[in-house]
Amino acid sequence: MGLLTNLRDSITRVTDRLFADDEPKRIGIYGPPNAGKTTLANRIARDWTGDAVGPESHIPHETRRARRKENVEIERNGKTVTIDIVDTPGVTTKVDYKEFLDHDMEKEDAVKRSREATEGVAEAMHWLREDVDGVIYVLDSTTDPFTQVNTMLIGIIESQDLPVLIFANKVDLDDADVKRIADAFPQHETVPLSALEGDNMDEVYEKIAEYFG
Amino acid sequence: MSEATAPDDGDGVRIDLISGGRMEGLTSMEKIRLILDSVRDGDIVVLEAGLSPEEESKLIEVTMTEISPDDFSGIEIETYPSSQQPNQGLVGRLLGKEETAKKLTVIGPANQIETLHKDEDLISALVSRK
């Protein structure tokens, strides 16, 4: 890509963001599989619109295609922010249909699930470069955050200059360790929560209004 | 990689160590093709200079489009140092300069490479023959 084309694209992107204040911000919910992205998306959508975004499951890649909940109006501290929530499939660099066979799935269904999952991840990566205004990055606070996918994804988000909030989910579980997540990504604010139990959602909404308003 | 002439006797795992200089002259898609073609052949690729965030994003995207049952299940990738990339100024970003941090990156087929240990200055991986 030439210098002028780069310059033009960059300026277009910056001006698009500056003058798009009236439009709902598209906030992508990203993170590894099974971190609780859909549970969080559903919690936010139910709290503010009464509807869910999509089904939740303990089986990896339950969310195979990005789902969008539009015009979610969140009000906090006298400030109202309207966002479109984009719940994305868990980002990974590998998908093996055989892992689904462990969840009592027939081969045909497992292959279909893996095909849909790979299409969904590819789409989510494309959208991250082109189509989101901010990112909620969800991590499971009971697992090690120092994975290559997390490091890469946070680096990609930073390179796009997107505002990002890191949510340390599943704090209701005994082995949750929020500090480990905060230490892994000290350059970003980490908000602890349990999307399943609804713990600390007040702070979650405060931060969403603050970061994406 | 087309230039390589090592015999392929089917008994071993090939490791391509690619210099930063060689990657410098390639477009993003050429880099991704070079990596994925090698990895799909069962080789391990070690990049001296790593990839930019945009290229990493495209690598994941293209990898996903090539995964197929019983053939290719994706990639395993590890990078060090794991420290954050240097911040780039606004002017640099406006001009589209994508600085690739100097970071050694190991990429291999997901069904053949497994990371055993990783810290700031060591990546320990187990590579199996398929």
Side-chain angles (χ1 to χ4, degrees):
Chain A
M1 196 182 280
L3 182 69
L4 285 175
T5 311
N6 271 329
L7 184 60
R8 188 192 61 214
D9 288 351
S10 297
I11 290 172
T12 303
R13 202 172 168 127
V14 169
T15 51
D16 279 353
R17 284 188 192 159
L18 285 175
F19 297 111
D21 283 348
D22 293 339
E23 296 292 317
K25 300 275 176 28
R26 287 155 300 190
I27 306 302
I29 301 183
Y30 282 82
N34 276 3
K37 296 179 294 300
T38 301
T39 307
L40 176 64
N42 283 341
R43 169 73 60 182
I44 297 171
R46 282 198 191 104
D47 281 353
W48 299 96
T49 72
D51 296 329
V53 174
E56 303 158 21
S57 156
H58 66 285
I59 305 173
H61 299 292
E62 179 64 37
T63 303
R64 270 104 61 202
R65 302 309 296 258
R67 297 190 192 96
R68 189 179 294 217
K69 184 76 180 171
E70 296 183 333
N71 294 310
V72 179
E73 200 173 285
I74 295 173
E75 195 182 336
R76 266 294 177 275
N77 302 329
K79 189 173 182 181
T80 301
V81 55
T82 305
I83 59 173
D84 291 349
I85 298 170
V86 185
D87 179 31
T88 68
V91 175
T92 180
T93 58
K94 57 193 174 190
V95 178
D96 189 342
Y97 78 88
K98 295 186 189 78
E99 71 177 288
F100 301 130
L101 299 177
D102 297 335
H103 295 275
D104 294 332
M105 214 174 274
E106 296 296 323
K107 182 179 176 183
E108 192 181 332
D109 292 336
V111 168
K112 182 169 178 275
R113 193 179 186 92
S114 70
R115 280 212 180 97
E116 290 171 350
T118 55
E119 285 172 20
V121 174
E123 185 181 59
M125 294 312 298
H126 188 78
W127 282 16
L128 185 57
R129 294 196 306 271
E130 308 286 342
D131 199 39
V132 293
D133 299 309
V135 172
I136 288 172
Y137 199 80
V138 182
L139 288 164
D140 177 346
S141 57
T142 69
T143 62
D144 181 10
F146 288 101
T147 66
Q148 185 65 26
V149 167
N150 288 337
T151 307
M152 275 199 312
L153 258 289
I154 294 291
I156 292 165
I157 291 162
E158 288 171 347
S159 75
Q160 300 285 314
D161 285 335
L162 294 169
V164 56
L165 266 172
I166 293 182
F167 286 170
N169 192 23
K170 306 191 186 183
V171 293
D172 55 303
L173 300 179
D174 288 342
D175 45 353
D177 188 347
V178 176
K179 186 175 180 299
R180 188 167 53 174
I181 291 177
D183 289 347
F185 303 104
Q187 71 275 35
H188 299 291
E189 189 157 7
T190 296
V191 182
L193 78 149
S194 167
L196 188 66
E197 300 295 331
D199 298 343
N200 205 36
M201 292 307 292
D202 279 343
E203 189 183 356
V204 166
Y205 295 133
E206 261 174 45
K207 293 298 176 188
I208 288 176
E210 182 185 332
Y211 272 67
F212 307 127
Chain B
M1 293 170 67
S2 55
E3 293 89 338
T5 55
D8 181 11
D9 59 5
D11 186 21
V13 175
R14 197 169 93 182
I15 301 174
D16 291 330
L17 306 161
I18 305 178
S19 74
R22 171 151 187 180
M23 295 293 269
E24 214 172 71
L26 302 178
T27 65
S28 293
M29 281 313 294
E30 284 171 337
K31 291 179 192 176
I32 288 164
R33 213 46 281 157
L34 180 69
I35 294 164
L36 281 182
D37 286 349
S38 291
V39 170
R40 292 196 63 172
D41 284 344
D43 302 335
I44 308 296
V45 177
V46 181
L47 304 177
E48 182 193 24
L51 297 169
S52 71
E54 171 112 5
E55 288 164 349
E56 287 176 342
S57 163
K58 285 179 183 167
L59 176 64
I60 297 173
E61 185 178 340
V62 177
T63 299
M64 287 297 123
T65 64
E66 300 197 0
I67 288 176
S68 62
D70 299 320
D71 177 29
F72 177 58
S73 61
I75 60 171
E76 196 69 62
I77 177 168
E78 285 292 354
T79 293
Y80 81 70
S82 56
S83 57
Q84 298 302 310
Q85 296 204 31
N87 286 329
Q88 202 177 6
L90 178 64
V91 174
R93 284 194 293 269
L94 282 173
L95 293 174
K97 283 183 187 167
E98 277 223 5
E99 198 174 306
T100 301
K102 294 290 180 194
K103 50 179 187 178
L104 187 140
T105 298
V106 182
I107 306 162
N111 63 345
Q112 276 175 266
I113 186 168
E114 180 189 352
T115 305
L116 299 175
H117 174 81
K118 179 190 169 189
D119 61 29
E120 284 181 1
D121 48 20
L122 172 73
I123 296 171
S124 178
L126 175 69
V127 181
S128 60
R129 295 172 196 157
K130 195 178 175 188

